Amino acid sequence: MDNKKYRIAVYIITIILLGQSLFNIILLYRSIFFSYGLDYSEPLILATAFNLYKSFGTYPYLITYYTPLFYILVRMMSTIIPQFVSTDPYFYIRSMGFAATIISALLIYLIARYVTEKKLLGVFALSIFLSSELVLYYGASFSPMPMELAFELFAVYLMLKPGSRRIIFSAVSIFIAFMFRQSAIFIFAALLIYLLYTRRFRDALLFSVLLIGAVITATVCIDAVTANRFFFSVFVIPLITPSALIILLFNIFSFFRLTYFSAFVFLALAWFFTFERKNAIISILLLVSGIEALSSAKYGATSLYFMPFLAFFSIAVALGAKKIISSRGTKGMNFLNFKFAMVYTLLIFSFMMVYEIIHYNSLYIYNATQPPADRIGTMLRNVSGPILVEDPRTAVAAGKPILFEPSIFWVLQADGIWNDSNVVGSIDNCSFGAIGFPLGYGRFVGYPEIINAIKGHYIESYSDYGWVVMVPRKSC
């Protein structure tokens, strides 16, 4: 029989987290109509919608980071809906991202309900996922991640029960996820390991043949069409981009912070199911998605990489909760006291709400404030001519085309694949109406020649919100 006091505590924690989830969903929905992004990932698509995987020697200097399906959707939208680019280019992609996030949450519920055999724990898993501010930041962002995650979770759901037809559809779903973002390969590997671990060898062969064949065929064809630039942009650049431990530590800290610190309490619960064979699929997915999250140590990476981990972590926590509810006083459970977890969750939830009200003067934080780069972008809207900025979000806010995204080109320059001479030449000729960067030059620090050219031909116009804006000297 279930432990009644633990079950009641799970109900209360679920209600608390559902309250935060509702708050997040409202903000996500409102963000669809907001003029700025919750993050600036991929605004450069607007400038490259018809130039996928272009040569790095072609101006403007841009990198198309992901596999093509997300970009193709942008192209379709700009063709079918002419006002897509001229009015609010974010709206349509944000809407798809929002829908994908809600679908992902429902799939988490279905998977957790199936593996725990309890509706309550299905809702519990869903609420952990949706209550995280990681979802708030990226759930309706201009990024392929929400769509990728939805198809990955659908593939997992199909994999729960045996059957060749389910294996085929699961492979198709993972392939679609791969076409949104190449990191879906990690989930493919996890599902293949699961099939081998559970001795479903025939299913493993069918699954791997279908998916590997489709991925290789697509990669070879797209690479041929793009003159070998697709493979380099999507697979090689992530490998040659350096890593830094400090970035990983910061992203891990952000992950815990963006889950209202509740992850610290729930993490211990998750590991109770790890070595149980019947839950092997979640165990393996949690481990592999955790390894994938380690790739956030790369320069330019963010806590966005933790979203698949968060999804499988939410299901894992539900399994851990089931273990404790049915433990009936098993020794070693005392430090996982659900009463403590309940009080802790309530206090953290209340603290964060109070913090938002004091800091932002509103609970609707994205209506109360704008990131500094967006504020500077707004001030640059009336600048005649193109602008050069360290942060692409500034150019988007200013309604200007993206000319150069500096966060990764220094890697290409170090490898002799690209050089900044043309950008320096444009600065020398005073081609930019304004140049903006955070105090200390931000990511321009990786380009000393660009900094020297700015100092020689531009003068400070104003400094605000932690940013400096330079305009051409009169001598230009």
Side-chain angles (χ1 to χ4, degrees):
M1 176 181 265
D2 286 347
N3 190 316
K4 185 177 180 180
K5 64 179 181 180
Y6 284 162
R7 193 168 67 253
I8 292 174
V10 172
Y11 271 114
I12 295 174
I13 294 173
T14 302
I15 291 171
I16 294 169
L17 294 179
L18 281 176
Q20 177 61 30
S21 298
L22 179 61
F23 175 75
N24 285 357
I25 290 172
I26 291 172
L27 280 180
L28 277 176
Y29 177 75
R30 291 169 68 93
S31 74
I32 294 174
F33 307 95
F34 195 40
S35 300
Y36 302 93
L38 294 184
D39 76 303
Y40 66 81
S41 58
E42 300 313 297
L44 53 86
I45 293 174
L46 296 178
T48 61
F50 295 96
N51 296 284
L52 293 181
Y53 315 110
K54 59 185 292 185
S55 169
F56 299 125
T58 304
Y59 190 78
Y61 308 113
L62 299 167
I63 299 174
T64 313
Y65 295 96
Y66 303 123
T67 39
L69 190 52
F70 182 58
Y71 302 121
I72 290 172
L73 285 176
V74 174
R75 297 175 69 175
M76 288 175 58
M77 288 295 184
S78 62
T79 301
I80 297 172
I81 309 172
Q83 64 268 31
F84 172 73
V85 174
S86 60
T87 55
D88 187 358
Y90 284 115
F91 174 79
Y92 305 99
I93 295 298
R94 283 203 196 119
S95 299
M96 287 187 285
F98 175 78
T101 299
I102 299 302
I103 291 171
S104 293
L106 293 175
L107 286 166
I108 287 171
Y109 165 77
L110 292 174
I111 295 170
R113 177 184 173 183
Y114 180 84
V115 297
T116 64
E117 301 175 334
K118 292 182 181 296
K119 293 181 181 179
L120 168 61
L121 295 179
V123 178
F124 184 45
L126 174 150
S127 67
I128 293 171
F129 177 74
L130 286 179
S131 65
S132 171
E133 283 197 44
L134 193 68
V135 172
L136 176 59
Y137 275 100
Y138 300 115
S141 64
F142 207 67
S143 164
M145 170 63 83
M147 282 77 89
E148 175 206 2
L149 180 59
F151 281 98
E152 289 173 343
L153 287 166
F154 185 57
V156 172
Y157 179 69
L158 291 170
M159 191 71 75
L160 291 173
K161 296 179 180 179
S164 297
R165 181 175 296 180
R166 282 175 166 266
I167 292 297
I168 293 171
F169 287 132
S170 182
V172 171
S173 189
I174 288 291
F175 177 70
I176 295 173
F178 166 79
M179 292 301 286
F180 273 113
R181 196 164 175 265
Q182 59 271 37
S183 57
I185 292 295
F186 282 95
I187 305 304
F188 159 68
L191 293 178
L192 181 58
I193 292 170
Y194 164 70
L195 291 173
L196 294 173
Y197 177 73
T198 54
R199 298 183 180 278
R200 292 166 59 179
F201 298 120
R202 184 175 296 180
D203 288 344
L205 179 62
L206 176 62
F207 183 64
S208 57
V209 167
L210 286 174
L211 193 56
I212 293 174
V215 167
I216 291 177
T217 301
T219 299
V220 169
C221 292
I222 298 172
D223 204 46
V225 172
T226 58
N228 305 120
R229 294 189 294 269
F230 168 73
F231 186 83
F232 184 82
S233 297
V234 170
F235 296 104
V236 176
I237 287 181
L239 294 176
I240 66 175
T241 302
S243 300
L245 178 61
I246 188 66
I247 296 175
L248 176 62
L249 294 177
F250 177 78
N251 284 329
I252 291 174
F253 170 76
S254 295
F255 169 72
F256 285 117
R257 179 178 61 83
L258 295 175
T259 50
Y260 279 73
F261 297 97
S262 59
F264 281 118
V265 173
F266 296 137
L267 186 59
L269 308 185
W271 289 106
F272 267 90
F273 76 94
T274 303
F275 299 106
E276 294 184 7
R277 186 181 180 87
K278 64 180 180 180
N279 298 319
I281 187 169
I282 306 302
S283 307
I284 295 169
L285 285 164
L286 185 67
L287 179 62
V288 172
S289 61
I291 293 172
E292 176 193 350
L294 296 179
S295 62
S296 70
K298 294 284 187 179
Y299 280 92
T302 67
S303 53
L304 170 72
Y305 283 62
F306 281 82
M307 276 197 73
F309 178 78
L310 174 65
F312 299 120
F313 172 80
S314 301
I315 300 167
V317 169
L319 280 165
K322 179 187 177 183
K323 184 76 173 180
I324 290 179
I325 289 174
S326 59
S327 66
R328 301 175 66 182
T330 301
K331 290 182 179 181
M333 295 288 185
N334 293 333
F335 75 98
L336 293 171
N337 189 296
F338 252 116
K339 288 184 178 179
F340 170 76
M342 176 182 65
V343 174
Y344 180 86
T345 304
L346 179 60
L347 289 176
I348 292 298
F349 174 80
S350 302
F351 170 78
M352 294 304 293
M353 290 295 97
V354 171
Y355 170 79
E356 287 177 355
I357 292 173
I358 293 174
H359 186 72
Y360 297 110
N361 298 319
S362 169
L363 283 175
Y364 293 89
I365 57 177
Y366 292 108
N367 286 341
T369 187
Q370 293 173 277
D374 286 351
R375 298 186 188 186
I376 291 295
T378 303
M379 298 171 73
L380 289 171
R381 283 194 170 194
N382 296 323
V383 171
S384 60
I387 60 174
L388 177 65
V389 289
E390 182 270 0
D391 188 334
R393 177 168 53 194
T394 308
V396 174
K400 303 290 184 178
I402 305 293
L403 303 175
F404 169 55
E405 203 278 314
S407 65
I408 201 68
F409 270 85
W410 64 273
V411 176
L412 303 182
Q413 182 156 280
D415 283 47
I417 299 168
W418 177 86
N419 69 75
D420 58 11
S421 59
N422 287 334
V423 175
V424 171
S426 296
I427 296 172
D428 289 339
N429 293 328
C430 299
S431 299
F432 299 107
I435 299 175
F437 45 82
L439 291 171
Y441 289 97
R443 283 173 288 189
F444 280 158
V445 169
Y447 309 87
E449 294 301 321
I450 289 179
I451 292 178
N452 290 335
I454 293 173
K455 290 178 178 178
H457 298 279
Y458 283 72
I459 188 171
E460 182 177 324
S461 174
Y462 59 86
S463 176
D464 209 348
Y465 307 118
W467 275 61
V468 175
V469 174
M470 311 281 282
V471 295
R473 295 179 180 273
K474 291 182 179 180
S475 57
C476 284

